[in-house]
Amino acid sequence: MMRTRPLKVALLGCGVVGSEVARIMTTHADDLTARIGAPVELAGVAVRRPDRVREGIAPELVTTDATALVKRGDIDVVVEVIGGIEPARTLITTAFEHGASVVSANKALLAQDGAALHAAAEQHGKDLYYEAAVAGAIPLVRPLRESLAGDKINRVMGIVNGTTNFILDKMDSTGAGYQEALDEATALGYAEADPTADVEGFDAAAKAAILAGIAFHTRVRLDDVYREGMTEVTAADFASAKQMGCTIKLLAICERAGDGASVTARVHPAMIPLSHPLASVRGAYNAVFVESDAAGQLMFYGPGAGGSPTASAVLGDLVAVCRNRIGGATGPGESAYAALPVSPMGDVVTRYHISLDVADKPGVLAQVATVFAEHGVSIDTVRQSGKDGEASLVVVTHRASDAALTGTVEALRKLDTVRGVASIMRVEGE
């Protein structure tokens, strides 16, 4: 039986994403009603600039008092798309206290305070959904915490930032330098005026924390995620990658240790074989590769940002939360029962590509090889070229810990024959 009393929705934020949420709620109202089992009504929109014209939104719905809006008591669901830590955190907890469930796209807040927000939702018997916080329109959060809830996930590796993927893809396909590719990304609207959050990996690290927490049933905070940006990636690195049959991506990697006793979460640029599915992800698209015991390998791919894609994920959550509201139930909350320790980056084991500037004279390779051996790092391949007394030495290792590789590089820098370390890059996906 169709419920006639509408479910009331408060929208916090009406920027690129919020305005699309409001538009879809209006234009797809009949479909949403049929799917939910009750009409949904936009009951208020909290904004910072009330004088701006917002097409399709009645002026009487607009307010600058977000606190009063979430305290109304007749609000069923609060949709938070303002971002940042405060006032979003306080508004969300206030919404729970006053009887509303919450749909959020706030990756930074969830990565920092997800445990506290889940606890507040559980205390008040309300839902907290956040599909839009990771990878835009790609269904990822719900499959991990619902569809794969009966499986054991061992690794989640993906491209979760469209800006960085566009830049790296442009460098790979055209031979452009980093700054040139960034300038194009900015001109096309893929990069913000200040791209730091993207290119230095902060955005991807927040998403990695969320994904690791869900995948491994363990609380993983933003501070637990190793982060390395991509601003030092050069055209020479891409040339080396191509010689190895690889490309370079900024990857978020969350994985269990081999013994299953700990987990790691990290974000950094890495060489990845062209045969790997993630290598073919072009432009500003996102993709996440999941490996589990029973399901095996799964790939989730699609647009990871933008108003319409992100709004699609928000509306999907809104439908689910509204259905729960009608049924008097709540969806899955935080699952952190495993409580696995998060290992430091030094414990991570992977392959490495190291490019050295060395003196072009006999015995250099032997000296370098000795340093690797002394630190327990096995060499897979070596490529040397040079002239006029200077040379380049490229070493690709077998799998080694980050701590062992760090010690190796420190020792290499002390050799008189090593002029400098041109680049160090991890090799993933093998």
Side-chain angles (χ1 to χ4, degrees), residues 173-372:
S173 60
T174 69
Y178 166 75
Q179 189 60 50
E180 182 183 351
L182 172 60
D183 290 344
E184 182 171 350
T186 304
L188 292 172
Y190 291 126
E192 302 287 345
D194 179 1
T196 302
D198 294 325
V199 300
E200 293 295 351
F202 290 101
D203 175 83
K207 296 169 181 176
I210 295 170
L211 292 175
I214 298 170
F216 306 132
H217 305 279
T218 292
R219 286 178 179 169
V220 180
R221 289 172 49 88
L222 181 58
D223 293 343
D224 296 320
V225 181
Y226 172 83
R227 178 194 54 78
E228 184 181 318
M230 48 157 281
T231 57
E232 301 301 317
V233 176
T234 66
D237 291 326
F238 274 100
S240 292
K242 287 181 179 180
Q243 289 182 332
M244 291 178 58
C246 293
T247 188
I248 298 172
K249 300 292 186 182
L250 185 75
L251 298 177
I253 304 172
C254 315
E255 59 188 351
R256 292 181 191 269
D259 60 5
S262 64
V263 300
T264 59
R266 50 197 166 101
V267 169
H268 54 72
M271 293 183 180
I272 188 168
L274 295 175
S275 58
H276 195 283
L278 290 176
S280 62
V281 178
R282 312 305 295 266
Y285 275 73
N286 284 193
V288 177
F289 196 73
V290 178
E291 300 175 40
S292 70
D293 276 1
Q297 298 179 335
L298 304 169
M299 177 89 154
F300 299 84
Y301 169 85
S308 293
T310 306
S312 171
V314 170
L315 267 295
D317 278 351
L318 179 63
V319 169
V321 170
C322 286
R323 286 172 175 171
N324 291 343
R325 192 86 172 183
I326 292 172
T330 55
E334 182 189 34
S335 176
Y337 72 90
L340 296 171
V342 182
S343 296
M345 187 63 188
D347 293 347
V348 171
V349 175
T350 189
R351 298 178 67 206
Y352 289 87
H353 175 283
I354 304 102
S355 180
L356 305 171
D357 295 326
V358 299
D360 187 15
K361 62 183 183 180
V364 173
L365 179 56
Q367 286 184 327
V368 169
T370 298
V371 170
F372 276 88

Side-chain angles (χ1 to χ4, degrees), residues 255 264 266 343-354 372 375-378 397-409 424 426 428:
E255 59 188 351
T264 59
R266 50 197 166 101
S343 296
M345 187 63 188
D347 293 347
V348 171
V349 175
T350 189
R351 298 178 67 206
Y352 289 87
H353 175 283
I354 304 102
F372 276 88
H375 288 81
V377 179
S378 175
T397 73
H398 288 290
R399 291 174 64 82
S401 72
D402 188 81
L405 196 282
T406 298
T408 302
V409 172
I424 303 171
R426 296 167 184 87
E428 302 285 350

Side-chain angles (χ1 to χ4, degrees), residues 21-330:
V21 170
R23 184 190 67 78
I24 295 172
M25 285 183 64
T26 301
T27 58
H28 295 180
D30 291 342
D31 287 335
L32 291 173
T33 298
R35 293 166 190 172
I36 292 169
V40 286
E41 173 187 310
L42 189 59
V45 181
V47 301
R48 286 184 298 175
R49 302 179 183 88
D51 297 333
R52 180 178 297 176
V53 176
R54 292 174 173 84
E55 186 177 348
I57 298 177
E60 61 269 21
L61 295 180
V62 177
T63 178
T64 57
D65 194 343
T67 301
L69 179 59
V70 300
K71 282 184 174 181
R72 271 178 40 173
D74 64 335
I75 299 297
D76 294 287
V77 184
V78 169
V79 174
E80 182 271 311
V81 288
I82 56 177
I85 306 302
E86 288 291 357
R89 174 171 47 197
T90 298
L91 291 170
I92 288 173
T93 55
T94 301
F96 290 141
E97 292 166 0
H98 288 78
S101 290
V102 173
V103 172
S104 176
N106 196 330
K107 54 187 172 288
L109 178 58
L110 288 159
Q112 178 172 307
D113 288 322
L117 295 179
H118 275 294
E122 182 177 3
Q123 177 186 352
H124 297 284
K126 298 297 178 285
D127 275 324
L128 173 62
Y129 275 52
Y130 44 91
E131 184 67 67
V134 181
I138 304 173
L140 184 59
V141 171
R142 195 174 293 119
L144 287 179
R145 72 175 186 172
E146 297 183 36
S147 303
L148 295 173
D151 205 344
K152 178 183 178 184
I153 298 173
N154 296 310
R155 197 174 204 223
V156 179
M157 179 170 74
I159 299 161
V160 294
N161 182 278
T163 300
T164 55
N165 198 58
F166 177 89
I167 293 169
L168 292 173
D169 182 41
K170 185 61 62 173
M171 293 175 70
D172 185 28
S173 60
T174 69
Y178 166 75
Q179 189 60 50
E180 182 183 351
L182 172 60
D183 290 344
E184 182 171 350
T186 304
L188 292 172
Y190 291 126
E192 302 287 345
D194 179 1
T196 302
D198 294 325
V199 300
E200 293 295 351
F202 290 101
D203 175 83
K207 296 169 181 176
I210 295 170
L211 292 175
I214 298 170
F216 306 132
H217 305 279
T218 292
R219 286 178 179 169
V220 180
R221 289 172 49 88
L222 181 58
D223 293 343
D224 296 320
V225 181
Y226 172 83
R227 178 194 54 78
E228 184 181 318
M230 48 157 281
T231 57
E232 301 301 317
V233 176
T234 66
D237 291 326
F238 274 100
S240 292
K242 287 181 179 180
Q243 289 182 332
M244 291 178 58
C246 293
T247 188
I248 298 172
K249 300 292 186 182
L250 185 75
L251 298 177
I253 304 172
C254 315
E255 59 188 351
R256 292 181 191 269
D259 60 5
S262 64
V263 300
T264 59
R266 50 197 166 101
V267 169
H268 54 72
M271 293 183 180
I272 188 168
L274 295 175
S275 58
H276 195 283
L278 290 176
S280 62
V281 178
R282 312 305 295 266
Y285 275 73
N286 284 193
V288 177
F289 196 73
V290 178
E291 300 175 40
S292 70
D293 276 1
Q297 298 179 335
L298 304 169
M299 177 89 154
F300 299 84
Y301 169 85
S308 293
T310 306
S312 171
V314 170
L315 267 295
D317 278 351
L318 179 63
V319 169
V321 170
C322 286
R323 286 172 175 171
N324 291 343
R325 192 86 172 183
I326 292 172
T330 55

